[in-house]
């Protein structure tokens, strides 16, 4: 595409047509010459209401961007993909006075990639609507690539043979290396941003998407290559084996050719592993923050009960109904009632008519000073909501969080907050298996069940600490357990005491060990050593003898924690 002069031959329709520069409905368009007429007839006049057209199908949407597919647009009946960007506020409008809009940046990057021979959708048109230079909206029209889905979806579907899987990963490694050789840093290269094209699609089998963050450098150094490759490898980490990822990295190194010795290759793998761990932590933080923002997965809105944070599949009406049923259960004190004390109240309620069973935890008002502090730093309900979603992102077992409500009405303080999660039917507090009850007999008469419980507790705590989640009150009463005769399933609850992005120190680890093992009645040497050996599999720095000495000293003096 190139800009040419404007010819006003189409002025009678309120449009300016000339070469590739078009004007319509406040937008200034830059279009491919073979697409200009189609743009004027079908897209430009309807750009503000494309989502309402019968031929359109929304692929993805959030507060700042909508992606949709528009059918039967081109002469051969082909579809196009349209990305609509909206400025969220005046700050974003101001920013795009000085930098390119996301639509323009992606259009420029796709044109360069196409010239280099890297498979990517062809940009057909790009338009911007500005008022006094301030960007209000932008639109990018791309050709539609017939595809089988994103690389992530295809690999996750388990429909591929081993050879086909290896072929796709090898092509991904080759594509990343080709981009790096030409100085292209994608900066968001993951399996979700790659399409697996159908055999009839033009070009290669893998197609690159979402190129608005692409950065062009003269020469890609080692640090840039490691960063880009780490993103690509981490992006397929959840759907590939360790051997798959190693083959992918080796394919990249073979294509690159600058790493020749075994020592240099080993060093490269070490640097890459550190970078991938750092990316994993950044990914966890980014995914966790989404639960407090409007987006594709979560919503934030005000209701008569206060500010609601919820999953989009769990409607506001269900949130309000759950709170109403919770209050009724507290008054009746029936089977749905679980707990009610000075600080919290917990119920397990089910809507009439067979709706979704949920657990509602209420954090009660604690006075004006505490309420103001919670307004500033976040209520306990919101802290638990954020921590619960963080554990879900990390893959740690916890009941799925559905919504959080903060009641701030008529006050500068948070009055009450609620956390609503899926009901953990079939689970019991772990403390019930450890006390003087029928369930306790299971562990007394079944040595295998006892050993597997120790292993499960150690694995869960090790997984949390490795992911950067520290529970300040990790004890049997804050774990839900289920025994199916072969294995234990454990879920973490009371999440207002969980700190995310916190990698515990030795003293904090020891405090968790003492609290958990001491209150579980597993403070003897055999149980503690078994627990520490399992924990050590994820934490090589753990000295079993030293930690056992610390646990014995704490429990021997009758202390709950060092």
């Amino acid at each position: 595409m190139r800009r040419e002069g404007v010819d006003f031959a189409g002025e009678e329709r309120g449009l300016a047509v000339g070469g590739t520069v078009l004007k319509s409905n406040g937008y200034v368009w830059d279009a491919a010459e073979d697409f200009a007429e189609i743009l004027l007839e079908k897209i430009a006049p309807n750009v503000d209401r494309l989502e309402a057209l019968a031929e359109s199908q929304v692929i993805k949407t959030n507060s700042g961007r909508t992606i949709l597919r528009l059918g039967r647009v081109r002469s051969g009946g082909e579809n196009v993909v349209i990305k609509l960007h909206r400025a969220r506020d005046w700050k974003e409008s101001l920013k795009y006075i000085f930098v390119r809009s996301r639509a323009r940046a992606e259009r420029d990057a796709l044109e360069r990639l196409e010239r280099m021979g890297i498979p990517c959708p062809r940009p057909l048109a790009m338009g911007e609507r500005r008022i006094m230079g301030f960007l209000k909206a932008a639109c990018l029209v791309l050709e539609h690539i017939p595809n089988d889905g994103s690389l992530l979806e295809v690999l996750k579907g388990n429909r591929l043979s081993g050879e086909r899987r290896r072929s796709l990963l090898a092509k991904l490694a080759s594509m990343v290396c080709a981009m790096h050789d030409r100085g292209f840093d994608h900066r968001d290269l993951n399996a979700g941003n790659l399409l697996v094209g159908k055999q009839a699609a033009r070009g290669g089998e893998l197609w690159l998407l979402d190129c608005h963050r692409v950065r062009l450098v003269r020469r890609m150094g080692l640090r840039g290559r490691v960063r880009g490759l780490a993103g690509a490898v981490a992006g397929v980490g959840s759907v590939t084996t360790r051997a798959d990822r190693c083959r992918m990295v080796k394919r990249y190194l073979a294509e690159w050719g600058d790493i020749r010795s075994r020592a240099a290759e080993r060093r490269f793998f070490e640097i890459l592993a550190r970078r991938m761990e750092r990316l994993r932590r950044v990914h966890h933080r980014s995914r966790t923050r989404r639960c407090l923002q409007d987006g594709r997965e979560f919503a934030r809105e005000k209701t008569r009960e206060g500010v609601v944070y919820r999953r989009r599949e769990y409607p506001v009406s269900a949130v309000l109904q759950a709170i109403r049923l919770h209050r009724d259960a507290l008054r009746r004190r029936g089977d749905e009632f679980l707990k009610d004390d000075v600080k919290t109240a917990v119920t397990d309620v089910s809507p009439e008519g067979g709706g979704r069973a949920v657990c509602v935890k209420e954090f009660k008002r604690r006075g004006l000073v505490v309420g103001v502090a919670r307004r500033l730093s976040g209520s306990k309900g919101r802290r638990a909501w954020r921590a619960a979603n963080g554990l879900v992102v990390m893959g740690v077992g916890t009941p799925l969080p559905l919504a959080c409500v903060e009641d701030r009405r008529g006050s500068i303080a948070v009055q009450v907050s609620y956390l609503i999660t899926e009901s953990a039917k079939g689970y019991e507090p772990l403390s019930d298996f450890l006390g003087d009850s029928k369930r306790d007999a299971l562990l007394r008469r079944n040595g295998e069940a006892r050993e597997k419980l120790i292993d499960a507790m150690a694995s869960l705590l090790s997984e949390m600490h490795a992911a950067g989640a520290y529970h300040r009150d990790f004890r049997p009463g804050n774990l839900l357990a289920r025994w199916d005769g072969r294995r234990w399933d454990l879920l973490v609850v009371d999440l207002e005491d969980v700190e995310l992005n916190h990698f515990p120190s030795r003293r904090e680890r020891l405090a968790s060990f003492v609290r958990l093992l001491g209150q579980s009645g597993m403070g003897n040497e055999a149980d503690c050593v078994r627990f520490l050996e399992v924990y050590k599999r994820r934490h090589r720095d753990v000295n079993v003898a030293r930690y056992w000495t610390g646990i014995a000293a704490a429990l021997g003096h009758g202390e709950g924690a060092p």
Side-chain angles (χ1 to χ4, degrees):
M1 295 181 197
R2 65 183 186 277
R3 291 189 174 274
E4 298 179 1
V6 178
D7 176 10
F8 291 93
E11 195 170 3
E12 66 275 10
R13 291 184 294 168
L15 306 171
V17 185
T20 60
V21 178
L22 317 169
K23 294 181 180 179
S24 174
N25 290 346
Y27 279 79
V28 177
W29 294 91
D30 190 355
E33 293 182 5
D34 60 345
F35 192 72
E37 289 189 14
I38 299 173
L39 176 72
L40 288 178
E41 292 175 5
K42 299 184 178 181
I43 296 177
N46 304 307
V47 67
D48 293 325
R49 55 187 184 91
L50 287 172
E51 298 170 57
L53 298 180
E55 302 86 357
S56 71
Q57 178 186 355
V58 176
I59 300 172
K60 184 188 299 184
T61 185
N62 58 38
S63 59
R65 183 180 68 165
T66 297
I67 303 176
L68 55 88
R69 180 167 53 245
L70 198 60
R72 300 188 300 276
V73 173
R74 306 180 73 183
S75 56
E78 299 98 335
N79 302 336
V80 296
V81 174
I82 300 177
K83 293 187 175 184
L84 298 169
H85 299 273
R86 296 174 291 273
R88 294 187 179 95
D89 51 35
W90 67 269
K91 295 179 183 177
E92 192 167 351
S93 294
L94 180 63
K95 179 178 77 171
Y96 290 122
I97 292 179
F98 306 100
V99 299
R100 293 177 299 172
S101 67
R102 296 174 73 178
R104 185 179 294 277
E106 182 164 11
R107 189 276 310 267
D108 294 345
L110 289 172
E111 286 181 338
R112 292 194 185 101
L113 289 168
E114 191 176 25
R115 288 196 296 269
M116 292 177 180
I118 294 175
C120 59
R122 179 190 172 211
L124 301 173
M126 187 279 299
E128 295 178 340
R129 181 165 65 88
R130 295 178 179 267
I131 298 177
M132 299 178 64
F134 290 86
L135 182 74
K136 296 301 179 182
C139 179
L140 180 64
V141 184
L142 305 170
E143 71 169 335
H144 175 256
I145 305 300
N147 64 85
D148 294 322
S150 71
L151 179 60
L152 183 64
E153 293 168 345
V154 171
L155 293 175
K156 190 183 292 185
N158 294 322
R159 304 188 304 269
L160 302 179
S161 64
E163 182 179 354
R164 169 84 165 136
R165 174 183 292 266
R166 288 191 291 272
S167 172
L168 285 174
L169 294 175
K171 288 177 179 177
L172 173 57
S174 298
M175 175 184 283
V176 175
C177 188
M179 290 176 62
H180 289 175
D181 288 343
R182 293 162 173 80
F184 265 86
D185 183 8
H186 189 280
R187 299 203 286 183
D188 191 21
L189 188 59
N190 59 69
N193 287 338
L194 291 159
L195 279 184
V196 179
K198 291 185 180 295
Q199 298 299 324
R202 172 182 61 82
E205 197 170 13
L206 287 181
W207 296 77
L208 193 61
L209 305 177
D210 283 357
C211 298
H212 59 274
R213 297 185 62 197
V214 165
R215 185 169 60 100
L216 183 62
V217 296
R218 290 185 177 180
R219 180 181 178 275
M220 186 72 73
L222 177 62
R223 180 178 296 182
R225 286 181 177 271
V226 168
R227 182 174 60 245
L229 181 59
V233 175
V236 297
S238 61
V239 289
T240 55
T241 64
R242 182 183 177 88
D244 287 335
R245 296 190 291 274
C246 285
R247 278 193 293 267
M248 181 176 163
V249 175
K250 289 183 177 180
R251 176 61 177 262
Y252 178 94
L253 295 178
E255 298 264 349
W256 182 20
D258 276 17
I259 303 293
R260 297 181 176 86
S261 68
R262 296 293 297 273
E265 181 180 304
R266 190 161 50 247
R267 176 64 176 163
F268 184 87
F269 269 91
E270 291 173 357
I271 297 172
L272 184 65
R274 287 198 297 268
R275 182 68 193 188
M276 288 179 62
E277 176 62 24
R278 182 179 171 186
L279 274 179
R280 186 175 67 88
R281 296 179 187 178
V282 171
H283 173 71
H284 286 169
R285 288 196 295 270
S286 174
R287 288 281 307 278
T288 301
R289 281 197 299 267
R290 295 178 189 176
C291 70
L292 299 176
Q293 303 166 351
D294 262 323
R296 181 177 54 180
E297 190 175 357
F298 298 96
R300 178 186 185 276
E301 50 203 304
K302 292 183 179 180
T303 68
R304 65 175 183 268
E305 292 291 345
V307 180
V308 174
Y309 305 91
R310 64 178 179 87
R311 290 185 176 272
R312 286 203 173 271
E313 70 267 20
Y314 193 64
V316 173
S317 58
V319 175
L320 301 180
Q321 184 185 32
I323 293 176
R324 187 177 67 253
L325 292 173
H326 165 77
R327 291 169 180 164
D328 292 342
L330 290 179
R331 284 194 296 270
R332 292 195 308 266
R333 303 277 172 148
D335 294 339
E336 297 171 328
F337 171 81
L338 299 178
K339 175 184 177 182
D340 188 10
D341 58 28
V342 176
K343 297 181 179 179
T344 59
V346 184
T347 60
D348 200 325
V349 297
S350 300
E352 296 180 1
R356 196 174 198 170
V358 296
C359 178
V360 182
K361 184 169 186 178
E362 175 185 349
F363 299 89
K364 298 182 178 180
R365 182 176 180 177
R366 299 293 305 283
L368 180 62
V369 175
V370 174
V372 172
R374 288 180 179 173
R375 177 68 181 268
L376 297 174
S377 62
S379 66
K380 282 196 171 184
R382 189 168 64 168
R383 292 212 307 265
W385 164 252
R386 185 174 180 273
N389 283 288
L391 293 185
V392 169
V393 170
M394 295 171 184
V396 176
T398 190
L400 180 68
L402 299 174
C404 165
V405 181
E406 284 187 328
D407 184 357
R408 309 174 182 175
R409 295 171 295 171
S411 174
I412 62 172
V414 173
Q415 306 291 321
V416 181
S417 59
Y418 301 89
L419 175 68
I420 303 174
T421 66
E422 275 191 337
S423 177
K425 297 293 186 183
Y427 288 82
E428 301 288 345
L430 180 58
S431 54
D432 289 358
F433 290 90
L434 303 170
D436 296 326
S437 65
K438 294 181 180 179
R439 296 187 188 91
D440 182 43
L442 168 69
L443 299 181
R444 288 198 301 269
R445 69 172 182 266
N446 190 334
E448 182 185 6
R450 182 184 180 89
E451 290 178 352
K452 287 187 175 181
L453 177 58
I454 295 171
D455 295 349
M457 292 192 302
S459 297
L460 177 62
L461 190 59
S462 171
E463 186 179 3
M464 289 180 63
H465 289 178
Y470 174 61
H471 199 308
R472 296 193 303 272
D473 191 21
F474 196 80
R475 55 187 176 84
N478 288 337
L479 293 173
L480 300 179
R482 181 176 64 185
W483 168 252
D484 63 4
R486 294 174 300 173
R487 62 187 294 271
W488 289 91
D489 285 328
L490 300 179
L491 301 178
V492 186
V493 294
D494 280 8
L495 303 179
E496 65 272 16
D497 292 317
V498 171
E499 295 182 31
L500 299 177
N501 308 315
H502 180 103
F503 294 86
S505 63
R506 180 185 180 278
R507 182 179 180 85
E508 289 169 332
R509 282 181 182 174
L510 185 58
S512 296
F513 297 162
V514 170
R515 191 179 299 111
L516 180 61
L517 295 171
Q519 295 185 23
S520 301
M522 299 176 179
N524 61 73
E525 183 175 2
D527 289 344
C528 288
V529 170
R530 182 182 183 90
F531 179 94
L532 292 170
E533 289 289 354
V534 174
Y535 182 91
K536 186 179 179 180
R537 293 171 188 169
R538 295 283 299 270
H539 302 271
R540 298 297 181 184
D541 60 323
V542 168
N543 185 310
V544 174
R546 186 179 179 187
Y547 272 100
W548 158 240
T549 301
I551 294 170
L555 296 179
H557 286 87
E559 301 172 1

